[in-house]
Amino acid sequence: MEHKQLVIGLFGFGVVGEGLYKILRQTPSLKANIKKVCIKHPGKKRNAPAELFTTDKDDLLNDPEINVIVEVINESGPAFEIVSTALKNGKDVVSASKKMIAENLPELLGLQQKTGRSFLYEAAACASIPVIRNLEEYYDNDLLHSIKAIVNGSTNFILTKIFEEGLDFKQALLLAQQLGFAESDPTLDVEGYDAVNKWVFLLTHAYGIVEEPGNILFNGIQNIHATDAKVAKEKNYNIKLVAQAKKLVNGKVAAFVLPQFVNHDDHLSFVKYEYNGVVIESGFADNQFFYGKGAGSFPTASAVLSDISALRYQYKYEYKKLYHHKPHELSNDIFLRVYVSFDDWDNIPKEKFEWIEEWHAQEERK
Ligand SMILES: NC(=O)c1ccc[n+]([C@@H]2O[C@H](COP(=O)([O-])OP(=O)(O)OC[C@H]3O[C@@H](n4cnc5c(N)ncnc54)[C@H](OP(=O)(O)O)[C@@H]3O)[C@@H](O)[C@H]2O)c1
């Protein structure tokens, strides 16, 4: 098959967009060039020729020569507008915008079917780790017993600092912000929204499940106290924010994103600071572990580049588990062994617990 010449219209020239611009200049063999870049604030100084930039999205979306739109902006609403118009205008699209994808998944699936164009977004989950294409291409439905992952680098950085260096939550968060691993408004990361957004579409590629983020049980790390870290340490555990999905005996899938006590010999315990990791348990192959950088300019841009490269041979996600198999159903019919840390017993929904295995009470926390 002859490789397609790619003419790119790039939306966004921030951490990821500028990273991609630099990487593309170092990979001439790809035969992909950026024709125009759309940004929001025309006054900003850019490390690229001024004639490359525009603030008019139609300069890119209506240019018949541009056959690929790369969308790496930081606003979910406009990102969806850009991606859907591009697909309707017959262009292939690469995106890294996890929030936008999670919030609009059914519409995006419909648009791909209707237009027949490619929409690739490997960078949106675990950045440099090729997890989507592996779930899509390699693991058959029947063989994928479970998948668990650390998909958010900011919270992992904070938890590592708390556990390895004894920082308290506020100090660790501040450091993450200073080093660029956490946003100035850290809510999306810290409260688990970013992780559950990524989990939404990873579940589609793993099990054919299409669910809204709000329908998946999730919690962040905002309520973890120093006393909880102490308990975990005493029991020889780490605490990690883990996204998990597993097949139940009834054939349905349980999925959730929760902070978990993780054993020191667990692969995820090895994932420290801003790194991400994914453990896949599949029939016969046992456990496999993917590890790499889950954020940052070049690691994220490298996944965007890989998607662009795949467009040369018209690669598309087939959503095999959704369209070619019977998709799995999400179920809450599962018992979890949970550690509950609280100050007032009156706030605890006692009827939701089957039994209490251990009980500790100190003055402020129980
Ligand atoms: N940073 C990472 O490590 C990482 C990793 C994985 C995924 N992502 C995702 O990748 C996307 C981009 O992230 P980022 O870190 O590169 O963001 P960023 O550094 O904040 O840059 C955002 C860029 O988008 C432009 N922009 C915003 N609204 C726009 C609009 N309506 N039209 C055109 N351009 C617009 C901004 O323009 P101005 O320059 O004019 O302000 C800026 O260049 C986000 O969805 C993010 O979640 C990021």
Side-chain angles (χ1 to χ4, degrees), residues 346-360:
D346 288 343
N347 298 330
I348 300 298
K350 302 167 195 69
E351 70 287 355
K352 301 237 164 130
F353 295 90
E354 285 290 299
W355 69 83
I356 296 172
E357 211 172 275
E358 263 185 66
W359 169 278
H360 301 267

mmCIF file of all heavy atoms in Angstrom, residues 346-360:
data_model
loop_
_atom_site.group_PDB
_atom_site.id
_atom_site.type_symbol
_atom_site.label_atom_id
_atom_site.label_comp_id
_atom_site.label_asym_id
_atom_site.label_seq_id
_atom_site.Cartn_x
_atom_site.Cartn_y
_atom_site.Cartn_z
ATOM 1 N N ASP A 346 -21.218 8.515 62.588
ATOM 2 C CA ASP A 346 -22.552 8.853 62.068
ATOM 3 C C ASP A 346 -22.544 9.073 60.550
ATOM 4 O O ASP A 346 -23.580 8.988 59.893
ATOM 5 C CB ASP A 346 -23.083 10.136 62.736
ATOM 6 C CG ASP A 346 -23.455 9.869 64.180
ATOM 7 O OD1 ASP A 346 -23.610 8.674 64.535
ATOM 8 O OD2 ASP A 346 -23.549 10.841 64.952
ATOM 9 N N ASN A 347 -21.376 9.408 59.993
ATOM 10 C CA ASN A 347 -21.304 9.660 58.542
ATOM 11 C C ASN A 347 -21.111 8.392 57.719
ATOM 12 O O ASN A 347 -20.994 8.450 56.494
ATOM 13 C CB ASN A 347 -20.136 10.604 58.226
ATOM 14 C CG ASN A 347 -20.319 11.953 58.882
ATOM 15 O OD1 ASN A 347 -21.448 12.389 59.085
ATOM 16 N ND2 ASN A 347 -19.221 12.604 59.227
ATOM 17 N N ILE A 348 -21.033 7.272 58.368
ATOM 18 C CA ILE A 348 -20.712 6.026 57.652
ATOM 19 C C ILE A 348 -22.009 5.280 57.285
ATOM 20 O O ILE A 348 -22.827 5.002 58.166
ATOM 21 C CB ILE A 348 -19.821 5.126 58.546
ATOM 22 C CG1 ILE A 348 -18.522 5.861 58.896
ATOM 23 C CG2 ILE A 348 -19.523 3.797 57.865
ATOM 24 C CD1 ILE A 348 -17.650 6.217 57.711
ATOM 25 N N PRO A 349 -22.208 4.955 56.018
ATOM 26 C CA PRO A 349 -23.411 4.197 55.634
ATOM 27 C C PRO A 349 -23.256 2.725 56.023
ATOM 28 O O PRO A 349 -22.874 1.892 55.197
ATOM 29 C CB PRO A 349 -23.451 4.382 54.108
ATOM 30 C CG PRO A 349 -22.031 4.640 53.705
ATOM 31 C CD PRO A 349 -21.322 5.229 54.873
ATOM 32 N N LYS A 350 -23.555 2.437 57.271
ATOM 33 C CA LYS A 350 -23.235 1.116 57.848
ATOM 34 C C LYS A 350 -23.908 -0.027 57.088
ATOM 35 O O LYS A 350 -23.371 -1.117 56.968
ATOM 36 C CB LYS A 350 -23.674 1.066 59.313
ATOM 37 C CG LYS A 350 -23.027 2.152 60.149
ATOM 38 C CD LYS A 350 -23.716 2.260 61.497
ATOM 39 C CE LYS A 350 -23.382 3.523 62.243
ATOM 40 N NZ LYS A 350 -23.909 4.779 61.685
ATOM 41 N N GLU A 351 -25.116 0.279 56.524
ATOM 42 C CA GLU A 351 -25.872 -0.784 55.861
ATOM 43 C C GLU A 351 -25.180 -1.283 54.586
ATOM 44 O O GLU A 351 -25.512 -2.344 54.079
ATOM 45 C CB GLU A 351 -27.305 -0.302 55.549
ATOM 46 C CG GLU A 351 -27.451 0.760 54.472
ATOM 47 C CD GLU A 351 -26.994 2.163 54.890
ATOM 48 O OE1 GLU A 351 -26.639 2.376 56.056
ATOM 49 O OE2 GLU A 351 -26.973 3.040 54.000
ATOM 50 N N LYS A 352 -24.195 -0.532 54.091
ATOM 51 C CA LYS A 352 -23.515 -0.964 52.857
ATOM 52 C C LYS A 352 -22.376 -1.951 53.118
ATOM 53 O O LYS A 352 -21.752 -2.441 52.194
ATOM 54 C CB LYS A 352 -22.960 0.253 52.118
ATOM 55 C CG LYS A 352 -24.021 1.268 51.749
ATOM 56 C CD LYS A 352 -24.033 1.533 50.272
ATOM 57 C CE LYS A 352 -25.306 2.221 49.880
ATOM 58 N NZ LYS A 352 -25.109 3.394 49.087
ATOM 59 N N PHE A 353 -22.089 -2.193 54.398
ATOM 60 C CA PHE A 353 -20.988 -3.105 54.717
ATOM 61 C C PHE A 353 -21.530 -4.462 55.151
ATOM 62 O O PHE A 353 -22.517 -4.541 55.871
ATOM 63 C CB PHE A 353 -20.119 -2.524 55.837
ATOM 64 C CG PHE A 353 -19.409 -1.266 55.423
ATOM 65 C CD1 PHE A 353 -19.990 -0.024 55.615
ATOM 66 C CD2 PHE A 353 -18.166 -1.334 54.818
ATOM 67 C CE1 PHE A 353 -19.346 1.134 55.209
ATOM 68 C CE2 PHE A 353 -17.512 -0.178 54.404
ATOM 69 C CZ PHE A 353 -18.110 1.052 54.604
ATOM 70 N N GLU A 354 -20.855 -5.507 54.722
ATOM 71 C CA GLU A 354 -21.259 -6.861 55.109
ATOM 72 C C GLU A 354 -20.709 -7.206 56.482
ATOM 73 O O GLU A 354 -21.405 -7.756 57.307
ATOM 74 C CB GLU A 354 -20.749 -7.866 54.085
ATOM 75 C CG GLU A 354 -21.531 -7.874 52.794
ATOM 76 C CD GLU A 354 -22.928 -8.453 52.967
ATOM 77 O OE1 GLU A 354 -23.033 -9.626 53.345
ATOM 78 O OE2 GLU A 354 -23.896 -7.730 52.716
ATOM 79 N N TRP A 355 -19.439 -6.934 56.693
ATOM 80 C CA TRP A 355 -18.837 -7.196 58.004
ATOM 81 C C TRP A 355 -17.604 -6.325 58.173
ATOM 82 O O TRP A 355 -17.075 -5.793 57.204
ATOM 83 C CB TRP A 355 -18.496 -8.674 58.186
ATOM 84 C CG TRP A 355 -17.371 -9.165 57.305
ATOM 85 C CD1 TRP A 355 -16.036 -9.056 57.545
ATOM 86 C CD2 TRP A 355 -17.491 -9.843 56.051
ATOM 87 N NE1 TRP A 355 -15.319 -9.613 56.518
ATOM 88 C CE2 TRP A 355 -16.188 -10.114 55.589
ATOM 89 C CE3 TRP A 355 -18.585 -10.268 55.282
ATOM 90 C CZ2 TRP A 355 -15.940 -10.770 54.391
ATOM 91 C CZ3 TRP A 355 -18.326 -10.920 54.081
ATOM 92 C CH2 TRP A 355 -17.021 -11.167 53.654
ATOM 93 N N ILE A 356 -17.182 -6.209 59.420
ATOM 94 C CA ILE A 356 -15.956 -5.448 59.726
ATOM 95 C C ILE A 356 -14.882 -6.443 60.126
ATOM 96 O O ILE A 356 -15.085 -7.272 61.009
ATOM 97 C CB ILE A 356 -16.208 -4.431 60.853
ATOM 98 C CG1 ILE A 356 -17.228 -3.386 60.392
ATOM 99 C CG2 ILE A 356 -14.898 -3.745 61.252
ATOM 100 C CD1 ILE A 356 -17.696 -2.455 61.484
ATOM 101 N N GLU A 357 -13.745 -6.328 59.455
ATOM 102 C CA GLU A 357 -12.703 -7.322 59.652
ATOM 103 C C GLU A 357 -11.713 -6.880 60.739
ATOM 104 O O GLU A 357 -11.223 -7.681 61.512
ATOM 105 C CB GLU A 357 -11.971 -7.482 58.325
ATOM 106 C CG GLU A 357 -11.409 -8.841 58.075
ATOM 107 C CD GLU A 357 -10.885 -8.933 56.649
ATOM 108 O OE1 GLU A 357 -11.690 -9.221 55.749
ATOM 109 O OE2 GLU A 357 -9.689 -8.697 56.429
ATOM 110 N N GLU A 358 -11.412 -5.582 60.726
ATOM 111 C CA GLU A 358 -10.475 -5.025 61.704
ATOM 112 C C GLU A 358 -10.963 -3.649 62.085
ATOM 113 O O GLU A 358 -11.569 -2.964 61.251
ATOM 114 C CB GLU A 358 -9.103 -4.815 61.041
ATOM 115 C CG GLU A 358 -8.104 -5.898 61.249
ATOM 116 C CD GLU A 358 -6.753 -5.499 60.640
ATOM 117 O OE1 GLU A 358 -6.128 -4.553 61.135
ATOM 118 O OE2 GLU A 358 -6.380 -6.125 59.631
ATOM 119 N N TRP A 359 -10.656 -3.201 63.260
ATOM 120 C CA TRP A 359 -11.126 -1.886 63.710
ATOM 121 C C TRP A 359 -10.008 -1.213 64.487
ATOM 122 O O TRP A 359 -9.409 -1.816 65.367
ATOM 123 C CB TRP A 359 -12.378 -2.081 64.577
ATOM 124 C CG TRP A 359 -12.803 -0.860 65.310
ATOM 125 C CD1 TRP A 359 -12.297 -0.396 66.490
ATOM 126 C CD2 TRP A 359 -13.798 0.067 64.894
ATOM 127 N NE1 TRP A 359 -12.918 0.766 66.842
ATOM 128 C CE2 TRP A 359 -13.846 1.072 65.878
ATOM 129 C CE3 TRP A 359 -14.655 0.152 63.796
ATOM 130 C CZ2 TRP A 359 -14.717 2.148 65.798
ATOM 131 C CZ3 TRP A 359 -15.527 1.213 63.722
ATOM 132 C CH2 TRP A 359 -15.552 2.202 64.711
ATOM 133 N N HIS A 360 -9.692 0.017 64.161
ATOM 134 C CA HIS A 360 -8.705 0.787 64.924
ATOM 135 C C HIS A 360 -9.314 2.141 65.246
ATOM 136 O O HIS A 360 -9.999 2.714 64.402
ATOM 137 C CB HIS A 360 -7.436 1.034 64.109
ATOM 138 C CG HIS A 360 -6.770 -0.217 63.666
ATOM 139 N ND1 HIS A 360 -5.774 -0.835 64.381
ATOM 140 C CD2 HIS A 360 -6.974 -0.992 62.570
ATOM 141 C CE1 HIS A 360 -5.390 -1.921 63.750
ATOM 142 N NE2 HIS A 360 -6.098 -2.055 62.644
#
